[in-house]
Amino acid sequence: MKKILSAFLVTTSALVAVIYLSGYNFIFKAFALNIKKGPVTPSSDDVDKFSSRSIPNLNPEPWKKAPDYNSTELSEAILKELKKTRASSLVVIRDQKIFYEEYWKNHNSSSLMNSFSMAKGVLSILVGCAIDDGYLQSENQLLSSIFPKYKKSRYGKHLTLYHLMTMQSGLDWKEEYHHPFSENSKQYFVEDLAKQAFEIECKEMPGQNYEYQSVAAQLLGLALRKATQKDLATYLSEKIWKPLGMESPAKWSIDKKGVEKAFCCIHATPRDFAKLGQLIMQNGEWKGKQLISRDYCERMLAPTKINDAFCFTIWADDEIQLKYRFFYGFLGQFIIMIPEKKMVIVKTGFYNRLDVDEKKRPLQVKLFAEEFSRIM
C-alpha cells in the first residue's frame, strides 16, 4: 500500500510540475474557483467567481407590462426546448412591453446572468458609440493605428476593427471549448488577458476567411479601452446603461490587471439584456434620441459577404420569410430581435450541446422566433 501511495504521489507531483512548466497553471485556479463557488465548468451564474467592474445604471425605468402579461400558454415545442436546454430565464418583449417572463432554478427578475459571447455584440455597439464620439475614425480603422506593434506584422498590419468584429481577422487561434488545455479555457481564467491576446499572431491575410475567434473580441475590447481611455464597463454605463434606464446595475468580469473579459462575461438581468435588443432593433434610437448612429446600426446588422449568417458579432438569418437577428452566448444565451413582429426574446440557460445548422446557428433560435411569432 505504501508503494502504491508513493507512486501516486510521485506521479501527481510530476503531473503538476508538467502543467506548470507548460504554462497551464491557470487550470489550478479554475479548479480552486469552481470547487469553492459552484460548478466545475463555466456557468451562467459565474458572477461571484471572478472580480468584476460595476456598470452603474441611473434613473431605472422598468418595462411596462402588456395587458395580457403572462397569459399566453407556451407551445409544447417551446416547453420541450426550455426543459432540454436547462433554461434559467425567458423574457419576451412585444411592442415595447413585457409580454411574457418566467424564471427557473431559483432565479428571478433581479438575477444577474452571464452573457458569455453576447458581450461580443455589445462590443460592436460600443464601437459605434466610439465612432460617434470621435474616439475612432470608423470600423475600417487599422488596429495598428491604436497598437503600433502590428505595423511590423506581415498580415497584422492589414488588420482592422471590422475584421475583428466580423471574425475575419486571420489570427492563429483555434476556438475550442471542450478540453481544459485550450486557449479558450486559458482565456476564461488567465490573469493577464492583454498578454495572451497580443501573443497571438496573424496566420493569414485578414478579410479572406471567416473563423470565429474569441481572441478577436478581446483585441477589440483592448482597442476600445485605449482609444476611449476608459474602462469598457465605464463606457458601457455612460453610453448605454444609463441612457436606457436599465433596471439594475450590471457587472463585467475582469482579470487581475483590471481588464474586462471583452469576449464574454457581462452579468446583467434578462430584462436589461432585452433593452439592448430593443435598442438595436430600433437602429440605435431610444425615446426620440439617437444613441448610436442609424447608419452604423444598419451596417452592424448587415450580413457579411464571406458569411451571410454573421454581421458585426451579431448573428443573422435572412433565409426564411421571418427575418431576425440575434446575440448568441455559450450555453444557450440569446437576445433574439424580430423587427417584423416588434419582438425581442431573451433566453438564458445552461446547455452546451445545442443543435446547429450548417452555418453554426442554433436551431433553437429559429424555433423560438417562429413559435413565439405564431402564438403571440
Side-chain angles (χ1 to χ4, degrees), residues 46-55 112 233 250-256 258-261 265-267:
D46 277 354
V47 63
D48 294 324
K49 284 185 181 178
F50 303 98
S51 299
S52 61
R53 182 168 287 114
S54 177
I55 305 171
L112 299 184
K251 296 180 179 181
W252 203 327
S253 295
I254 57 175
D255 67 8
K256 289 292 186 181
V259 172
E260 288 89 351
K261 296 182 178 183
C265 310
I266 296 172
H267 303 269

Side-chain angles (χ1 to χ4, degrees), residues 24 76 84 195 232 300 342:
Y24 294 110
E76 283 298 319
K84 173 185 175 182
K195 181 177 183 296
L232 293 179
M300 180 173 67
K342 297 182 180 179

Side-chain angles (χ1 to χ4, degrees), residues 258-323:
V259 172
E260 288 89 351
K261 296 182 178 183
F263 64 95
C264 82
C265 310
I266 296 172
H267 303 269
T269 68
R271 287 184 176 188
D272 287 341
F273 280 137
K275 283 193 173 184
L276 290 177
Q278 187 72 37
L279 172 68
I280 299 310
M281 191 169 68
Q282 294 173 180
N283 285 313
E285 184 273 332
W286 193 264
K287 294 190 174 181
K289 294 182 179 179
Q290 201 68 40
L291 301 185
I292 315 165
S293 76
R294 185 180 185 87
D295 287 345
Y296 177 83
C297 286
E298 290 175 352
R299 297 196 302 275
M300 180 173 67
L301 295 175
T304 66
K305 292 181 180 179
I306 289 178
N307 182 358
D308 63 6
F310 206 75
C311 310
F312 288 10
T313 47
I314 292 175
W315 295 74
D317 192 342
D318 289 340
E319 296 171 21
I320 58 176
Q321 185 174 355
L322 182 70
K323 295 176 173 55

Side-chain angles (χ1 to χ4, degrees), residues 57-315:
N57 60 336
L58 182 69
N59 301 324
E61 298 179 19
W63 287 103
K64 294 180 180 179
K65 292 181 179 179
D68 47 355
Y69 168 79
N70 269 12
S71 64
T72 297
E73 185 174 340
L74 301 184
S75 69
E76 283 298 319
I78 293 173
L79 291 172
K80 181 180 178 180
E81 282 296 308
L82 291 170
K83 182 178 180 180
K84 173 185 175 182
T85 56
R86 300 164 65 185
S88 50
S89 71
L90 174 68
V91 173
V92 182
I93 307 298
R94 191 183 68 180
D95 294 324
Q96 301 184 37
K97 295 182 176 64
I98 293 186
F99 190 82
Y100 189 93
E101 67 178 329
E102 191 169 357
Y103 302 89
W104 298 268
K105 300 179 178 65
N106 299 317
H107 296 102
N108 56 51
S109 61
S110 298
S111 298
L112 299 184
M113 310 291 195
N114 192 343
S115 68
F116 289 109
S117 288
M118 293 198 302
K120 294 180 174 73
V122 175
L123 287 180
S124 293
I125 292 173
L126 291 182
V127 167
C129 294
I131 293 171
D132 290 343
D133 288 343
Y135 293 122
L136 296 173
Q137 299 161 14
S138 76
E139 65 265 28
N140 296 312
Q141 183 173 343
L142 289 169
L143 186 63
S144 62
S145 67
I146 301 171
F147 297 119
K149 72 181 287 289
Y150 286 94
K151 292 180 180 179
K152 300 177 181 179
S153 170
R154 177 185 178 187
Y155 298 126
K157 63 185 177 183
H158 301 287
L159 188 58
T160 67
L161 305 182
Y162 174 85
H163 294 139
L164 295 175
M165 289 191 290
T166 58
M167 298 297 168
Q168 299 175 34
S169 62
L171 291 163
D172 190 10
W173 172 283
K174 182 179 180 181
E175 195 79 359
E176 171 60 65
Y177 302 96
H178 297 102
H179 68 79
F181 297 99
S182 70
E183 285 296 322
N184 288 88
S185 297
K186 181 178 180 181
Q187 190 179 43
Y188 198 64
F189 294 100
V190 75
E191 295 184 353
D192 190 341
L193 284 162
K195 181 177 183 296
Q196 182 198 30
F198 289 136
E199 287 175 349
I200 306 300
E201 300 290 340
C202 282
K203 63 182 178 181
E204 62 185 16
M205 181 67 75
Q208 292 187 338
N209 296 296
Y210 167 88
E211 186 177 359
Y212 190 94
Q213 298 175 323
S214 288
V215 71
Q218 190 59 47
L219 282 173
L220 182 63
L222 291 168
L224 274 167
R225 283 172 56 92
K226 186 172 181 183
T228 63
Q229 292 295 297
K230 297 178 182 181
D231 298 319
L232 293 179
T234 300
Y235 197 49
L236 179 58
S237 171
E238 173 189 325
K239 303 304 296 184
I240 303 297
W241 232 253
K242 290 179 179 178
L244 263 59
M246 294 298 201
E247 292 188 27
S248 304
K251 296 180 179 181
W252 203 327
S253 295
I254 57 175
D255 67 8
K256 289 292 186 181
K257 303 288 186 179
V259 172
E260 288 89 351
K261 296 182 178 183
F263 64 95
C264 82
C265 310
I266 296 172
H267 303 269
T269 68
R271 287 184 176 188
D272 287 341
F273 280 137
K275 283 193 173 184
L276 290 177
Q278 187 72 37
L279 172 68
I280 299 310
M281 191 169 68
Q282 294 173 180
N283 285 313
E285 184 273 332
W286 193 264
K287 294 190 174 181
K289 294 182 179 179
Q290 201 68 40
L291 301 185
I292 315 165
S293 76
R294 185 180 185 87
D295 287 345
Y296 177 83
C297 286
E298 290 175 352
R299 297 196 302 275
M300 180 173 67
L301 295 175
T304 66
K305 292 181 180 179
I306 289 178
N307 182 358
D308 63 6
F310 206 75
C311 310
F312 288 10
T313 47
I314 292 175
W315 295 74

